[in-house]
PDB file of all heavy atoms in Angstrom:
ATOM      1  N   ALA S  30       4.332  -4.169  36.983  1.00  0.00           N
ATOM      2  CA  ALA S  30       3.109  -4.924  36.796  1.00  0.00           C
ATOM      3  C   ALA S  30       2.506  -4.640  35.419  1.00  0.00           C
ATOM      4  O   ALA S  30       2.178  -5.598  34.683  1.00  0.00           O
ATOM      5  CB  ALA S  30       2.067  -4.505  37.858  1.00  0.00           C
ATOM      6  N   CYS S  74      15.018   4.146  24.564  1.00  0.00           N
ATOM      7  CA  CYS S  74      15.085   5.450  23.920  1.00  0.00           C
ATOM      8  C   CYS S  74      14.916   5.318  22.401  1.00  0.00           C
ATOM      9  O   CYS S  74      15.661   4.580  21.764  1.00  0.00           O
ATOM     10  CB  CYS S  74      16.415   6.128  24.239  1.00  0.00           C
ATOM     11  SG  CYS S  74      16.667   7.638  23.364  1.00  0.00           S
ATOM     12  N   PRO S  75      13.970   6.026  21.799  1.00  0.00           N
ATOM     13  CA  PRO S  75      13.765   5.874  20.355  1.00  0.00           C
ATOM     14  C   PRO S  75      14.921   6.478  19.553  1.00  0.00           C
ATOM     15  O   PRO S  75      15.113   6.188  18.343  1.00  0.00           O
ATOM     16  CB  PRO S  75      12.478   6.627  20.004  1.00  0.00           C
ATOM     17  CG  PRO S  75      12.177   7.449  21.276  1.00  0.00           C
ATOM     18  CD  PRO S  75      12.975   6.891  22.408  1.00  0.00           C
ATOM     19  N   HIS S  91       5.650   9.464  29.493  1.00  0.00           N
ATOM     20  CA  HIS S  91       6.895  10.113  29.010  1.00  0.00           C
ATOM     21  C   HIS S  91       8.089   9.565  29.811  1.00  0.00           C
ATOM     22  O   HIS S  91       7.974   9.194  30.966  1.00  0.00           O
ATOM     23  CB  HIS S  91       6.836  11.665  29.302  1.00  0.00           C
ATOM     24  CG  HIS S  91       5.993  12.416  28.313  1.00  0.00           C
ATOM     25  ND1 HIS S  91       4.633  12.273  28.255  1.00  0.00           N
ATOM     26  CD2 HIS S  91       6.359  13.258  27.323  1.00  0.00           C
ATOM     27  CE1 HIS S  91       4.197  13.048  27.291  1.00  0.00           C
ATOM     28  NE2 HIS S  91       5.183  13.664  26.677  1.00  0.00           N
ATOM     29  N   PHE S 112       2.254   8.447  14.653  1.00  0.00           N
ATOM     30  CA  PHE S 112       1.166   9.125  15.463  1.00  0.00           C
ATOM     31  C   PHE S 112       1.645  10.433  16.062  1.00  0.00           C
ATOM     32  O   PHE S 112       0.874  11.156  16.625  1.00  0.00           O
ATOM     33  CB  PHE S 112       0.749   8.167  16.603  1.00  0.00           C
ATOM     34  CG  PHE S 112       0.477   6.769  16.166  1.00  0.00           C
ATOM     35  CD1 PHE S 112       1.116   5.718  16.809  1.00  0.00           C
ATOM     36  CD2 PHE S 112      -0.397   6.491  15.153  1.00  0.00           C
ATOM     37  CE1 PHE S 112       0.923   4.397  16.416  1.00  0.00           C
ATOM     38  CE2 PHE S 112      -0.640   5.191  14.763  1.00  0.00           C
ATOM     39  CZ  PHE S 112       0.019   4.107  15.376  1.00  0.00           C
ATOM     40  N   VAL S 125      -8.642   3.782  12.791  1.00  0.00           N
ATOM     41  CA  VAL S 125      -8.411   3.790  11.334  1.00  0.00           C
ATOM     42  C   VAL S 125      -7.621   2.569  10.897  1.00  0.00           C
ATOM     43  O   VAL S 125      -7.953   1.934   9.876  1.00  0.00           O
ATOM     44  CB  VAL S 125      -7.712   5.092  10.892  1.00  0.00           C
ATOM     45  CG1 VAL S 125      -7.357   5.068   9.430  1.00  0.00           C
ATOM     46  CG2 VAL S 125      -8.588   6.313  11.197  1.00  0.00           C
ATOM     47  N   VAL S 126      -6.577   2.206  11.663  1.00  0.00           N
ATOM     48  CA  VAL S 126      -5.790   1.051  11.315  1.00  0.00           C
ATOM     49  C   VAL S 126      -6.687  -0.187  11.351  1.00  0.00           C
ATOM     50  O   VAL S 126      -6.663  -1.047  10.437  1.00  0.00           O
ATOM     51  CB  VAL S 126      -4.636   0.842  12.354  1.00  0.00           C
ATOM     52  CG1 VAL S 126      -3.955  -0.481  12.145  1.00  0.00           C
ATOM     53  CG2 VAL S 126      -3.595   1.974  12.273  1.00  0.00           C
ATOM     54  N   LEU S 139     -12.752   8.252   1.806  1.00  0.00           N
ATOM     55  CA  LEU S 139     -14.065   8.837   1.998  1.00  0.00           C
ATOM     56  C   LEU S 139     -14.876   8.082   3.037  1.00  0.00           C
ATOM     57  O   LEU S 139     -15.518   8.689   3.850  1.00  0.00           O
ATOM     58  CB  LEU S 139     -14.792   8.843   0.619  1.00  0.00           C
ATOM     59  CG  LEU S 139     -15.978   9.823   0.505  1.00  0.00           C
ATOM     60  CD1 LEU S 139     -15.536  11.267   0.627  1.00  0.00           C
ATOM     61  CD2 LEU S 139     -16.692   9.593  -0.833  1.00  0.00           C
ATOM     62  N   MET S 156      -3.951  10.304   6.896  1.00  0.00           N
ATOM     63  CA  MET S 156      -3.806   9.230   7.885  1.00  0.00           C
ATOM     64  C   MET S 156      -3.606   7.882   7.225  1.00  0.00           C
ATOM     65  O   MET S 156      -2.721   7.138   7.548  1.00  0.00           O
ATOM     66  CB  MET S 156      -4.998   9.231   8.840  1.00  0.00           C
ATOM     67  CG  MET S 156      -4.984  10.353   9.835  1.00  0.00           C
ATOM     68  SD  MET S 156      -6.517  10.388  10.852  1.00  0.00           S
ATOM     69  CE  MET S 156      -6.114   9.370  12.230  1.00  0.00           C
ATOM     70  N   ALA S 162       2.214   3.585   4.349  1.00  0.00           N
ATOM     71  CA  ALA S 162       3.686   3.691   4.262  1.00  0.00           C
ATOM     72  C   ALA S 162       4.328   2.914   5.395  1.00  0.00           C
ATOM     73  O   ALA S 162       5.366   2.262   5.217  1.00  0.00           O
ATOM     74  CB  ALA S 162       4.123   5.154   4.281  1.00  0.00           C
ATOM     75  N   ALA S 163       3.731   2.917   6.568  1.00  0.00           N
ATOM     76  CA  ALA S 163       4.312   2.205   7.705  1.00  0.00           C
ATOM     77  C   ALA S 163       4.197   0.664   7.485  1.00  0.00           C
ATOM     78  O   ALA S 163       5.018  -0.083   8.022  1.00  0.00           O
ATOM     79  CB  ALA S 163       3.583   2.556   8.992  1.00  0.00           C
ATOM     80  N   LEU S 171      11.892 -14.897  -1.247  1.00  0.00           N
ATOM     81  CA  LEU S 171      10.963 -16.031  -1.246  1.00  0.00           C
ATOM     82  C   LEU S 171      11.662 -17.258  -1.671  1.00  0.00           C
ATOM     83  O   LEU S 171      12.624 -17.277  -2.481  1.00  0.00           O
ATOM     84  CB  LEU S 171       9.812 -15.702  -2.223  1.00  0.00           C
ATOM     85  CG  LEU S 171       9.070 -14.398  -2.049  1.00  0.00           C
ATOM     86  CD1 LEU S 171       8.022 -14.169  -3.156  1.00  0.00           C
ATOM     87  CD2 LEU S 171       8.362 -14.375  -0.675  1.00  0.00           C
ATOM     88  N   VAL S 175       7.787 -20.635  -6.298  1.00  0.00           N
ATOM     89  CA  VAL S 175       7.429 -19.201  -6.463  1.00  0.00           C
ATOM     90  C   VAL S 175       6.786 -18.964  -7.811  1.00  0.00           C
ATOM     91  O   VAL S 175       7.217 -19.521  -8.838  1.00  0.00           O
ATOM     92  CB  VAL S 175       8.682 -18.335  -6.278  1.00  0.00           C
ATOM     93  CG1 VAL S 175       8.350 -16.858  -6.514  1.00  0.00           C
ATOM     94  CG2 VAL S 175       9.259 -18.449  -4.865  1.00  0.00           C
ATOM     95  N   ALA S 211       5.589 -11.501  -7.039  1.00  0.00           N
ATOM     96  CA  ALA S 211       6.105 -12.861  -6.816  1.00  0.00           C
ATOM     97  C   ALA S 211       5.398 -13.395  -5.565  1.00  0.00           C
ATOM     98  O   ALA S 211       5.284 -12.692  -4.582  1.00  0.00           O
ATOM     99  CB  ALA S 211       7.605 -12.797  -6.584  1.00  0.00           C
ATOM    100  N   ILE S 219       5.235 -10.589  -2.676  1.00  0.00           N
ATOM    101  CA  ILE S 219       5.970  -9.309  -2.801  1.00  0.00           C
ATOM    102  C   ILE S 219       5.590  -8.691  -4.114  1.00  0.00           C
ATOM    103  O   ILE S 219       5.746  -9.317  -5.188  1.00  0.00           O
ATOM    104  CB  ILE S 219       7.524  -9.527  -2.748  1.00  0.00           C
ATOM    105  CG1 ILE S 219       7.964 -10.261  -1.504  1.00  0.00           C
ATOM    106  CG2 ILE S 219       8.246  -8.172  -2.896  1.00  0.00           C
ATOM    107  CD1 ILE S 219       9.427 -10.615  -1.458  1.00  0.00           C
ATOM    108  N   SER S 244      12.724 -24.224  -5.687  1.00  0.00           N
ATOM    109  CA  SER S 244      12.623 -25.496  -6.422  1.00  0.00           C
ATOM    110  C   SER S 244      11.928 -25.307  -7.760  1.00  0.00           C
ATOM    111  O   SER S 244      12.140 -26.147  -8.680  1.00  0.00           O
ATOM    112  CB  SER S 244      11.869 -26.537  -5.580  1.00  0.00           C
ATOM    113  OG  SER S 244      10.594 -26.054  -5.232  1.00  0.00           O
ATOM    114  N   LEU S 246      10.292 -21.915 -10.365  1.00  0.00           N
ATOM    115  CA  LEU S 246       9.826 -20.519 -10.606  1.00  0.00           C
ATOM    116  C   LEU S 246       8.809 -20.584 -11.737  1.00  0.00           C
ATOM    117  O   LEU S 246       9.243 -20.832 -12.895  1.00  0.00           O
ATOM    118  CB  LEU S 246      11.005 -19.613 -10.952  1.00  0.00           C
ATOM    119  CG  LEU S 246      10.734 -18.116 -10.989  1.00  0.00           C
ATOM    120  CD1 LEU S 246      10.281 -17.586  -9.663  1.00  0.00           C
ATOM    121  CD2 LEU S 246      11.997 -17.338 -11.457  1.00  0.00           C
ATOM    122  N   ASP S 250       4.122 -17.196 -20.414  1.00  0.00           N
ATOM    123  CA  ASP S 250       5.053 -17.247 -21.555  1.00  0.00           C
ATOM    124  C   ASP S 250       5.495 -15.807 -22.006  1.00  0.00           C
ATOM    125  O   ASP S 250       5.946 -15.691 -23.124  1.00  0.00           O
ATOM    126  CB  ASP S 250       4.533 -18.050 -22.714  1.00  0.00           C
ATOM    127  CG  ASP S 250       3.032 -17.744 -22.937  1.00  0.00           C
ATOM    128  OD1 ASP S 250       2.441 -16.916 -22.212  1.00  0.00           O
ATOM    129  OD2 ASP S 250       2.480 -18.322 -23.912  1.00  0.00           O
ATOM    130  N   ASN S 270      -3.745 -20.999 -24.449  1.00  0.00           N
ATOM    131  CA  ASN S 270      -4.764 -21.371 -23.431  1.00  0.00           C
ATOM    132  C   ASN S 270      -4.286 -22.509 -22.523  1.00  0.00           C
ATOM    133  O   ASN S 270      -5.088 -23.332 -22.062  1.00  0.00           O
ATOM    134  CB  ASN S 270      -6.052 -21.758 -24.109  1.00  0.00           C
ATOM    135  CG  ASN S 270      -6.743 -20.574 -24.643  1.00  0.00           C
ATOM    136  OD1 ASN S 270      -6.676 -19.463 -24.079  1.00  0.00           O
ATOM    137  ND2 ASN S 270      -7.462 -20.707 -25.743  1.00  0.00           N
ATOM    138  N   TYR S 272      -2.970 -23.307 -18.912  1.00  0.00           N
ATOM    139  CA  TYR S 272      -2.902 -22.612 -17.637  1.00  0.00           C
ATOM    140  C   TYR S 272      -2.262 -23.435 -16.499  1.00  0.00           C
ATOM    141  O   TYR S 272      -1.696 -22.874 -15.580  1.00  0.00           O
ATOM    142  CB  TYR S 272      -4.304 -22.159 -17.269  1.00  0.00           C
ATOM    143  CG  TYR S 272      -4.763 -21.061 -18.168  1.00  0.00           C
ATOM    144  CD1 TYR S 272      -5.556 -21.316 -19.254  1.00  0.00           C
ATOM    145  CD2 TYR S 272      -4.324 -19.733 -17.960  1.00  0.00           C
ATOM    146  CE1 TYR S 272      -5.878 -20.328 -20.167  1.00  0.00           C
ATOM    147  CE2 TYR S 272      -4.661 -18.741 -18.837  1.00  0.00           C
ATOM    148  CZ  TYR S 272      -5.469 -19.025 -19.935  1.00  0.00           C
ATOM    149  OH  TYR S 272      -5.780 -18.016 -20.823  1.00  0.00           O
ATOM    150  N   ILE S 288      -7.860  -9.895  -5.892  1.00  0.00           N
ATOM    151  CA  ILE S 288      -8.216  -9.186  -4.654  1.00  0.00           C
ATOM    152  C   ILE S 288      -7.825  -7.729  -4.793  1.00  0.00           C
ATOM    153  O   ILE S 288      -8.582  -6.854  -4.489  1.00  0.00           O
ATOM    154  CB  ILE S 288      -7.487  -9.797  -3.426  1.00  0.00           C
ATOM    155  CG1 ILE S 288      -7.846 -11.243  -3.182  1.00  0.00           C
ATOM    156  CG2 ILE S 288      -7.815  -8.981  -2.150  1.00  0.00           C
ATOM    157  CD1 ILE S 288      -6.967 -11.950  -2.128  1.00  0.00           C
ATOM    158  N   ARG S 315      -1.897  -7.127   4.244  1.00  0.00           N
ATOM    159  CA  ARG S 315      -3.030  -7.914   4.615  1.00  0.00           C
ATOM    160  C   ARG S 315      -2.909  -9.356   4.177  1.00  0.00           C
ATOM    161  O   ARG S 315      -3.177 -10.325   4.956  1.00  0.00           O
ATOM    162  CB  ARG S 315      -4.348  -7.344   4.044  1.00  0.00           C
ATOM    163  CG  ARG S 315      -5.075  -6.379   4.975  1.00  0.00           C
ATOM    164  CD  ARG S 315      -6.502  -6.193   4.556  1.00  0.00           C
ATOM    165  NE  ARG S 315      -6.581  -5.734   3.198  1.00  0.00           N
ATOM    166  CZ  ARG S 315      -6.649  -4.456   2.830  1.00  0.00           C
ATOM    167  NH1 ARG S 315      -6.701  -3.501   3.739  1.00  0.00           N
ATOM    168  NH2 ARG S 315      -6.690  -4.082   1.566  1.00  0.00           N
TER     169      ARG S 315
END
Side-chain angles (χ1 to χ4, degrees):
C74 172
H91 282 70
F112 313 124
V125 174
V126 172
L139 198 63
M156 286 174 89
L171 305 175
V175 174
I219 302 175
S244 58
L246 188 63
D250 43 359
N270 289 326
Y272 292 94
I288 299 170
R315 267 199 304 266

